């Protein structure tokens, strides 16, 4: 803001501007901001990296499953250069492991339908076709579903991952159809989870923004003692909760203070984590106002700032 703009402000507007500038910056500890947005401490004030003094060292434990064991014997004595035969008594002096991933390539089985002539009547007879369905097997469906949902890869990155890791070339449309087929395997489990949610006495709910196929949407989570239900919806309105609960009103509804999350249970419990961060911000804001002695306030101490002591 320029000087001429400040001069046009009224006294009340100047007071509000000063108070707003004195408020502490919100962090992940005092708001819903992610930790990645927090301002990092200055390098000279940060502690040294590595283990702390007195920390007990730890080494990687040996593998429980070993594919192959190779014994290595010394070939010659370093003192007298005499050859050391393999049949000498030996004891284990150390163990080292080398872990590697096997080469993974798609397993492609080509089914050929053969036709022959009947020697009796001369009719051409072709073999019955194999089971009709997708050319992709269940393990490939499982890997694609895991990478797309649990690891949150986009279709473009999923396409590249399957090519780089397994040498499998597949179009994004084919991957989308693959995930749609896999989705049907989860329908029964989701119905059981939703049914448990609609019987629960205590339900917790929250929502957060998410991008779905290039559009803004919301990821809703509903949780009770017996189930957790994830639901994607283009809206953040209370209608999502009403549709999910289907008329059921639990004894206690646990959520933040967002208006769409209110009024869905017999009693409302505000999330303690939200209350704790609001209280932490209130304490920091109060401390910041105490540090203000009024010397920089245009209201000369009448802005409500608290002087130290």
């Amino acid at each position: 803001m320029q000087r001429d703009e400040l001069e046009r402000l009224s006294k009340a507007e100047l007071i509000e501007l000063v108070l707003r500038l004195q408020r502490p910056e919100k962090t992940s500890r005092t708001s819903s901001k992610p930790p990645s947005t927090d301002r990092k401490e200055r390098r000279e004030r940060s502690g040294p990296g590595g283990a702390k003094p007195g920390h007990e060292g730890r080494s990687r434990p040996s593998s429980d499953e070993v594919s192959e064991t190779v014994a290595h014997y010394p070939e010659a004595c370093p003192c007298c250069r005499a050859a050391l035969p393999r049949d000498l008594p030996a004891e284990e002096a150390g163990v080292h492991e080398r872990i590697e991933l096997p080469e993974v390539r798609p397993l492609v089985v080509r089914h050929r339908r053969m036709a022959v002539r009947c020697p009796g009547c001369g009719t051409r007879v072709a073999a019955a076709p194999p089971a009709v369905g997708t050319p992709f097997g269940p393990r490939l469906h499982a890997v694609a579903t895991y990478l797309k949902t649990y690891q949150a890869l986009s279709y473009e990155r999923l396409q590249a991952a399957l090519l780089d890791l397994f040498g499998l070339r597949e179009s994004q449309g084919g991957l989308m159809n693959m995930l749609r087929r896999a989705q049907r395997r989860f329908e029964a489990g989701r119905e059981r989870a939703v049914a448990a949610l609609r019987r629960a006495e205590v339900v917790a709910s929250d929502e957060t923004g998410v991008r779905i196929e290039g559009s803004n949407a919301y990821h809703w989570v509903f949780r009770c003692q017996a189930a957790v239900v994830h639901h994607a919806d283009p809206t953040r309105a209370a209608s999502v909760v009403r549709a999910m609960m289907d008329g059921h009103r639990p004894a206690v509804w646990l959520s933040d203070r967002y208006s769409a999350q209110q009024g869905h249970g017999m009693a409302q419990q505000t999330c303690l984590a939200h209350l704790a961060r609001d209280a932490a911000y209130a304490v920091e804001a109060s401390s910041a106002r105490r540090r203000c002695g009024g010397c920089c306030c245009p209201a000369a101490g009448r802005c409500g700032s608290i002087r130290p002591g």
Side-chain angles (χ1 to χ4, degrees):
M1 184 174 290
Q2 302 297 324
R3 182 183 182 89
D4 57 341
E5 295 176 319
L6 290 172
E7 292 176 348
R8 289 196 296 269
L9 294 178
S10 65
K11 180 184 293 186
E13 292 172 333
L14 285 172
I15 293 174
E16 178 61 28
L17 176 61
V18 172
L19 290 177
R20 187 163 62 250
L21 293 175
Q22 290 174 350
R23 294 169 188 160
E25 183 180 0
K26 287 193 173 184
T27 65
S28 61
R29 192 175 62 85
T30 59
S31 69
S32 59
K33 296 178 61 178
S36 59
T37 61
D38 290 347
R39 184 175 299 175
K40 302 297 185 293
E41 295 184 2
R42 295 179 61 87
R43 184 176 297 274
E44 55 267 19
R45 279 187 275 168
S46 60
K52 301 296 185 293
H55 175 73
E56 182 181 357
R58 296 180 180 272
S59 59
R60 189 185 61 80
S62 299
S63 302
D64 296 330
E65 298 183 3
V66 179
S67 305
E68 182 183 2
T69 300
V70 180
H72 299 269
Y73 293 87
E75 297 180 353
C77 176
C79 296
C80 64
R81 306 293 181 181
L84 300 176
R86 288 291 185 93
D87 57 356
L88 290 176
E91 61 180 4
E92 188 176 274
V95 176
H96 303 272
E97 291 184 346
R98 178 179 177 83
I99 302 175
E100 180 60 284
L101 293 175
E103 182 182 6
V104 180
R105 300 189 63 82
L107 178 61
V108 180
V109 178
R110 178 173 295 173
H111 297 268
R112 301 175 59 197
R113 295 176 58 206
M114 309 303 294
V116 297
R117 291 284 181 182
C118 174
C121 63
T123 303
R124 184 178 182 273
V125 182
V132 178
T134 171
F136 305 114
R139 190 176 292 111
L140 179 55
H141 278 77
V143 170
T145 302
Y146 169 78
L147 293 176
K148 183 69 176 73
T149 58
Y150 193 81
Q151 298 298 341
L153 296 186
S154 65
Y155 281 107
E156 182 178 0
R157 294 184 62 186
L158 176 59
Q159 184 184 33
L162 293 178
L163 177 61
D164 295 341
L165 295 176
F166 309 115
L168 177 64
R169 297 182 181 274
E170 181 55 45
S171 66
Q172 295 185 25
L175 293 175
M176 185 177 297
N177 293 332
M178 191 183 303
L179 293 171
R180 286 174 176 169
R181 285 190 294 269
Q183 181 182 4
R184 295 194 291 267
R185 304 299 297 269
F186 299 94
E187 290 178 353
R190 185 182 188 278
E191 290 176 359
R192 291 193 298 268
V194 172
L197 192 71
R198 292 171 178 173
R199 295 190 304 265
E201 292 296 314
V202 179
V203 175
S205 175
D206 199 3
E207 84 291 326
T208 186
V210 68
R211 297 280 291 178
I212 299 179
E213 297 183 359
S215 301
N216 292 331
Y218 294 91
H219 180 185
W220 291 76
V221 179
F222 302 89
R223 185 183 185 278
C224 65
Q225 186 176 7
V228 178
V229 178
H230 295 261
H231 176 74
D233 204 279
T235 179
R236 197 187 181 192
S239 58
V240 179
V241 180
R242 291 192 291 268
M244 177 61 65
M245 301 308 296
D246 193 28
H248 173 61
R249 287 176 59 85
V252 178
W253 187 269
L254 172 63
S255 68
D256 56 20
R257 289 180 287 185
Y258 178 54
S259 59
Q261 295 277 13
Q262 306 297 309
H264 302 294
M266 305 301 294
Q268 179 77 28
Q269 170 63 55
T270 302
C271 173
L272 297 181
H274 285 79
L275 292 177
R277 77 185 189 194
D278 290 345
Y281 181 73
V283 170
E284 291 189 6
S286 177
S287 301
R289 294 184 65 186
R290 271 199 222 66
R291 289 193 296 269
C292 173
C295 57
C296 61
C297 180
R302 296 191 300 273
C303 64
S305 61
I306 303 174
R307 294 178 181 273

